[in-house]
Amino acid sequence: MKTALVLNGPNLNLLGTREPAVYGSQTLADVQALCQQACATHGFALDFRQSNHEGVLVDWLHEAGRLNAAGELAGVVLNAGAYTHTSVALHDAIKGTGIALIELHISNVHAREAFRHHSYISPAARAVMAGFGVQGYALAISGLAGLAGL
Ligand code: CA2
């Protein structure tokens, strides 16, 4: 069974506790349960993580690259949070790994402040999703299953 790795960046541990008008009222534990259900549907094992630290996310992307090389990775869903808009390190970590990586945002970043319109992740990602709320995570896992069939 291949693994779908879902990585969450800074402040996403606060999901459901603040800014419900932007991010909804579901917690990160609720999102994990959503992802678990989507993975069961598609026959993936779920590995779900969150970190507030850029270097930890880089290490996890390297780990994903090794898993991918071993043929054990279905793909990565990455919500890099604010690092999306700042991190060349995350861009470099993804680039050249061959990982099927979906960049995901809960909110429609393009309808928000101008500083959220640029992403360092997008040029290295296979696909980009924004604005579906937390349901986007389940849709992204279905997307990984779809990409695997291409
Ligand atoms: O829409 C998204 O998923 C974002 O990646 C979320 C990031 C933001 O910096 C990006 O521009 C768009 C912020 C994550 C912070 O999440 C919180 C959730 C609830 C309360 C406070 C922060």
Side-chain angles (χ1 to χ4, degrees), residues 71-108:
E72 292 166 15
L73 186 75
V76 176
V77 177
L78 173 64
N79 185 347
Y83 289 143
T84 303
H85 317 298
T86 63
S87 181
V88 177
L90 288 179
H91 171 102
D92 288 346
I94 299 160
K95 195 95 184 167
T97 55
I99 299 172
L101 182 141
I102 300 182
E103 173 185 349
L104 176 112
H105 301 288
I106 297 167
S107 63
N108 177 0

Side-chain angles (χ1 to χ4, degrees), residues 10-12 14-19 23 79-82 84-85 104-109 112 116:
N11 296 312
L12 284 158
L14 299 175
L15 209 59
T17 68
R18 292 195 225 156
E19 299 192 71
Y23 300 114
N79 185 347
T84 303
H85 317 298
L104 176 112
H105 301 288
I106 297 167
S107 63
N108 177 0
V109 283
R112 299 181 64 193
R116 297 187 201 276

Side-chain angles (χ1 to χ4, degrees), residues 34-125:
L34 257 174
C35 289
Q36 189 58 63
Q37 212 166 18
C39 279
T41 301
H42 295 288
F44 297 148
L46 174 67
D47 190 340
F48 188 94
R49 306 181 190 183
Q50 188 274 333
S51 176
N52 292 322
H53 304 280
E54 188 175 17
V56 171
L57 293 164
V58 168
D59 287 343
W60 288 346
L61 288 165
H62 293 173
E63 195 182 326
R66 290 192 292 272
L67 211 59
N68 191 52
E72 292 166 15
L73 186 75
V76 176
V77 177
L78 173 64
N79 185 347
Y83 289 143
T84 303
H85 317 298
T86 63
S87 181
V88 177
L90 288 179
H91 171 102
D92 288 346
I94 299 160
K95 195 95 184 167
T97 55
I99 299 172
L101 182 141
I102 300 182
E103 173 185 349
L104 176 112
H105 301 288
I106 297 167
S107 63
N108 177 0
V109 283
H110 298 288
R112 299 181 64 193
E113 303 96 323
F115 68 83
R116 297 187 201 276
H117 298 177
H118 178 263
S119 167
Y120 283 97
I121 309 298
S122 298

